[in-house]
Amino acid sequence: MTVHPQTRFVLPDSLNATEPPEARGLARDQVKLLVAEGSTITHTRFDRIGDHLRPGDLLLVNTSGTLAAAVDGTWITGAGVAPVVVHFSTALDDGNWVVELRNGGAPMFGGTSGDQVELPRGILTLLAPYQSDSNRLWRAKPPVTDMVGYLQRHGRAITYSYVNKRWPIASYQTVFARDPGSAEMPSAARPFSFELVSRLAAQGVLIAPITLHCGVSSLESHEPPLPERYDVPEHTARLVNWVKGNGGRIVAVGTTAVRAIESAVAADGSVVAARGWTDLVLGPGHPAAVVDGLITGMHAPEASHLLLLEAVAGGGTVQQAYDAALHERYLWHEFGDSCLILR
């Protein structure tokens, strides 16, 4: 059954962030920040986020690094050849990858098992649709074994039509990036600078790592997130439990961090070390059990991420935050402004 977010809005094209804030004359940490706590909305700047965090609060940060996951190729089918961009989404346990083929900015459907895509210095072979009810994503045999190195040499960052030019892969990395693996940037952490992290640590705000490798985002309305690889280390699990036991708040940096930590909740409500694949989908039937708030960018209408926000803070708070963001002309997407939502 498809579940729709309660939060409703129309996003004008003028509020799509078309370039990084640095290209607009701002430092990473100078984007707008909307703080929604209960019925209170505050407009500030991201480098002042410490004004809304307390000593003893814990930030959960995603250490996944962004891959240069888009590669130009030529799709070879029984009907002929076609130019295509391959989006390498997710590395599977057997060495194959989940991929999406796109042309002119739109997904390409209608592939057949055995089709090949000629790529720089190699061939990608489509094996089977990744989902039983769709052939948008494919399980595929990659051209080489070391795909991280291959993408560094031949790939570029995945972009969508609202971004007006290609930006270097460094524009798609966060200060926490350590483990390459995300097809698209875990962008909630992008506004953090090293200087801001130092100030927060000096203030007594704690920081702990998790890893969740993001696959390609879905542009299909209401489509839930696909399974993703995650890792909640033992020391992070212990720190989360300690902070909760001592009255601190758990603030996830991004929907990825929420999904990872909530996937590691035991039956008694405590957090345990966990790793593997998560298919957790938070929403009305599965509210957040551990997270007290999250830092996030602005999500598109009907995105499944909105359900996750509502699972943390409630539909009313999220609707109020988005109404305020639209009124104050916040910018959307990975290069846009930010929001801190607290229960």
Side-chain angles (χ1 to χ4, degrees), residues 189-213:
R190 193 186 192 280
F192 282 93
S193 63
F194 291 110
E195 294 79 10
L196 177 56
V197 172
S198 296
R199 290 202 304 272
L200 292 173
Q203 179 183 325
V205 175
L206 305 171
I207 298 175
I210 58 89
T211 303
L212 186 138
H213 293 313

Side-chain angles (χ1 to χ4, degrees), residues 25-26 31 35 49 55 83 91 95 114 137 142 156 163 191 211 307 314 330:
L26 301 174
V31 296
V35 181
I49 194 171
L137 298 175
R156 63 180 184 274
V163 175
T211 303
L307 284 170
Y330 278 58

Side-chain angles (χ1 to χ4, degrees), residues 10 35 64 79 93 101 141 145 151 166 182 198 233 246 258-259 275 319:
V10 175
V35 181
S64 181
D93 293 336
L101 307 183
K141 182 180 179 181
T145 302
L151 293 173
R166 293 180 183 176
S182 281
S198 296
N246 285 275
V258 177
R259 194 182 198 196
R275 63 186 307 177
Q319 182 70 66

Side-chain angles (χ1 to χ4, degrees), residues 161-174:
S161 59
Y162 53 81
V163 175
N164 59 11
K165 61 179 285 188
R166 293 180 183 176
W167 299 94
I169 194 65
S171 296
Y172 293 86
Q173 304 293 2
T174 75

Side-chain angles (χ1 to χ4, degrees), residues 19-68:
E19 58 190 2
E22 300 92 304
R24 306 194 297 269
L26 301 174
R28 281 185 176 228
D29 58 10
Q30 291 179 334
V31 296
K32 292 179 181 179
L33 174 68
L34 184 152
V35 181
E37 186 168 8
S39 60
T40 301
I41 298 291
T42 303
H43 299 286
T44 181
R45 206 169 68 177
F46 196 87
D47 57 0
R48 298 171 188 146
I49 194 171
D51 296 342
H52 303 276
L53 299 172
R54 307 168 188 158
D57 285 348
L58 174 62
L59 297 181
L60 293 174
V61 301
N62 189 356
T63 63
S64 181
T66 309
L67 299 170

Side-chain angles (χ1 to χ4, degrees), residues 55-107:
D57 285 348
L58 174 62
L59 297 181
L60 293 174
V61 301
N62 189 356
T63 63
S64 181
T66 309
L67 299 170
V71 182
D72 292 319
T74 302
W75 189 6
I76 305 168
T77 70
V81 299
V84 69
V85 178
V86 180
H87 287 181
F88 285 86
S89 177
T90 306
L92 299 173
D93 293 336
D94 61 3
N96 293 317
W97 277 70
V98 178
V99 302
E100 180 188 43
L101 307 183
R102 298 179 76 93
N103 181 272

